[in-house]
């Protein structure tokens, strides 16, 4: 089976490529390296290119008959999306449409889309299942929700089958220590906490301690990047088995506060982690926790590295040796 992984040089994409390679798939990565790293692509053919360039897409689809396409290439910073919506709609929506149009033109019919908990906006109930209202509150979330809706229409009109996977907080790293999170600038909690543990940052700033949660800090559902990868494989299998298009929320169903993450990181690393308390970050809901029962029952998805200490230990290995 041949898979095209768009954004395969990025954090989640590179872990996906390694998993596909281990399972015997023939993988092509298309990445413009705006945020990804060439050396993170293991065991795949690499094509440098941008989804903006329809000629590259046509050439790729003419050369290789792909059995599925996975799309990880998107900008992910909520705050930046508010300041620069044009950048987000161009990259995350318009370029995705370019990819879908090329797939349709070349009759490639199976698509797995990286979506996000940000499509739900401020939650009205926790845990968040698939039926929860979609009211994104920033251009990042709105763009992802637009693509999800576009996919519904493309299925109806053109028969393109897709699965949207809404990640909650992707975290952790390859347990072998070969891959990990390398964002620049890094904005995610766990890598920042571990950089503070390693002495690469003076401290971690906790964004807000007056939320309506037991310890006053925000609660998130951290899910291991390899468990997300497994969900992608199961989603593709669903489509190959003739399943209908679908969307799933992916998390472990357990919420951890920022303080709990820091305490767990202290226990895992055995290091001091200096903490400062700062203002709330705009647009952060107090609590985001997934109800992933649908992914478990319909896809047969079981997270194997669900424990927060395991997630942090894998990320720590990468922080020390990556
Ligand atoms: N956070 C924090 N300090 C940081 C980075 C993040 O307190 O330096 C908090 C953030 O406010 C949120 C949680 O950690 O409540 C997870 O943030 P992250 O950016 O990792 O993921 P998000 O939830 O935004 O997808």
């Amino acid at each position: 089976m041949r898979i095209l992984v768009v954004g395969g040089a990025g954090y989640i994409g590179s872990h996906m490529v390694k998993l596909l390679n281990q399972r015997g798939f023939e993988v092509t990565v298309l990445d413009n390296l705006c945020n990804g790293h060439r050396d993170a692509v293991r065991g795949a053919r690499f094509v440098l290119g941008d989804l903006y360039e329809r000629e590259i897409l046509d050439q790729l689809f003419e050369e290789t008959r792909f059995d599925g396409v996975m799309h990880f290439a998107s900008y992910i910073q909520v705050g930046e999306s508010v300041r620069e919506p044009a950048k987000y709609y161009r990259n995350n929506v318009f370029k995705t449409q370019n990819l879908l149009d090329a797939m349709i033109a070349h009759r490639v019919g199976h698509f797995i889309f990286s979506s996000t908990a940000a499509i739900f906006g401020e939650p009205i109930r926790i845990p968040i299942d698939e039926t929860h209202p979609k009211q994104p509150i920033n251009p990042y979330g709105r763009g992802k929700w637009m693509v999800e809706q576009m996919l519904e229409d493309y299925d109806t009109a053109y028969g393109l089958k897709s699965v949207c996977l809404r990640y909650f907080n992707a975290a952790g790293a390859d347990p072998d220590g070969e891959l990990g999170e390398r964002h620049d600038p890094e904005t995610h909690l766990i890598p920042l906490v571990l950089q503070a543990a390693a002495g690469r940052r003076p401290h971690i700033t906790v964004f807000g301690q007056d939320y309506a949660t037991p310890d006053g800090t925000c609660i998130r559902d951290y899910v291991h990047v390899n468990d997300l990868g497994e969900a992608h494989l199961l989603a593709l299998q669903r489509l190959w088995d003739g399943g209908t298009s679908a969307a799933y929320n992916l998390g472990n169903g357990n919420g951890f506060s920022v303080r709990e993450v820091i305490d767990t990181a202290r226990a895992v690393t055995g290091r001091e982690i200096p903490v400062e308390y700062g203002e709330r970050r705009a647009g952060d809901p107090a609590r985001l926790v997934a109800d992933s029962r649908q992914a478990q029952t319909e896809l047969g998805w079981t997270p194997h590295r669900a424990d927060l200490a395991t997630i942090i230990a894998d990320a720590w290995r990468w922080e020390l040796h990556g």
Side-chain angles (χ1 to χ4, degrees):
M1 293 297 223
R2 299 188 185 94
I3 314 290
L4 175 63
V5 180
V6 183
Y11 168 47
I12 305 174
S14 61
H15 287 77
M16 186 76 239
V17 169
K18 182 172 172 179
L19 187 62
L20 286 166
N21 188 44
Q22 282 173 338
R23 301 286 164 86
F25 293 92
E26 198 180 308
V27 185
T28 298
V29 168
L30 175 68
D31 200 300
N32 65 7
L33 295 182
C34 74
N35 289 317
H37 305 273
R38 176 68 185 85
D39 63 0
V41 178
R42 308 272 169 137
R45 171 179 168 226
F46 181 79
V47 178
L48 180 66
D50 194 292
L51 289 179
Y52 189 76
E53 300 162 277
R54 178 63 192 261
E55 309 76 50
I56 291 190
L57 293 173
D58 285 332
Q59 204 183 326
L60 267 176
F61 288 124
E62 267 155 38
E63 275 169 18
T64 310
R65 181 93 233 125
F66 290 107
D67 301 290
V69 176
M70 297 180 176
H71 179 26
F72 296 91
S74 69
Y75 294 139
I76 56 165
Q77 290 185 46
V78 169
E80 185 185 53
S81 82
V82 175
R83 292 189 302 276
E84 297 183 62
K87 174 175 173 177
Y88 276 69
Y89 288 118
R90 191 179 310 114
N91 190 78
N92 293 5
V93 181
F94 171 71
K95 287 188 192 178
T96 302
Q97 188 182 9
N98 227 22
L99 171 62
L100 298 180
D101 290 350
M103 287 178 65
I104 286 156
H106 296 271
R107 286 183 282 283
V108 181
H110 298 130
F111 185 67
I112 310 296
F113 180 59
S114 299
S115 190
T116 168
I119 66 164
F120 297 108
E122 191 67 47
I124 58 169
R125 57 172 191 270
I126 294 284
I128 301 172
D129 67 11
E130 286 75 6
T131 65
H132 185 287
K134 285 81 183 172
Q135 287 165 336
I137 53 171
N138 50 60
Y140 170 67
R142 271 196 277 274
K144 291 284 185 177
W145 178 230
M146 281 177 195
V147 172
E148 286 207 19
Q149 291 172 292
M150 199 189 292
L151 285 168
E152 260 189 68
D153 294 336
Y154 273 44
D155 184 359
T156 307
Y158 311 124
L160 179 73
K161 299 291 170 212
S162 65
V163 177
C164 298
L165 298 175
R166 300 158 179 163
Y167 315 151
F168 279 61
N169 285 64
D174 171 34
D176 302 334
E178 290 180 354
L179 301 167
E181 206 164 349
R182 268 197 275 172
H183 295 118
D184 187 20
E186 187 54 75
T187 60
H188 291 129
L189 180 66
I190 290 177
L192 289 175
V193 166
L194 295 179
Q195 287 173 15
R200 295 203 182 100
R201 285 179 190 266
H203 58 262
I204 178 75
T205 304
V206 174
F207 297 149
Q209 50 176 334
D210 57 350
Y211 285 96
T213 59
D215 69 19
T217 66
C218 286
I219 290 177
R220 293 290 179 274
D221 185 339
Y222 296 90
V223 53
H224 199 288
V225 63
N226 276 26
D227 287 331
L228 293 178
E230 295 287 353
H232 285 70
L233 279 179
L234 293 164
L236 204 48
Q237 194 59 54
R238 171 194 167 93
L239 297 181
W240 288 337
D241 291 345
T244 52
S245 293
Y248 299 104
N249 296 355
L250 298 182
N252 289 311
N254 292 317
F256 293 94
S257 72
V258 174
R259 276 201 193 159
E260 286 172 322
V261 168
I262 296 169
D263 286 342
T264 308
R266 285 186 175 127
V268 166
T269 64
R271 304 278 180 100
E272 297 276 312
I273 303 178
V275 172
E276 286 196 355
Y277 288 90
E279 295 295 309
R280 287 182 176 202
R281 189 173 65 177
D284 267 341
R287 204 187 273 260
L288 287 174
V289 179
D291 179 341
S292 294
R293 278 176 300 181
Q294 205 166 314
Q296 289 167 20
T297 53
E298 288 185 18
L299 293 179
W301 183 58
T302 311
H304 293 292
R305 302 186 82 76
D307 177 46
L308 183 63
T310 305
I311 292 174
I312 291 178
D314 287 347
W316 180 234
R317 197 171 305 114
W318 169 251
E319 180 59 41
L320 287 180
H321 307 297

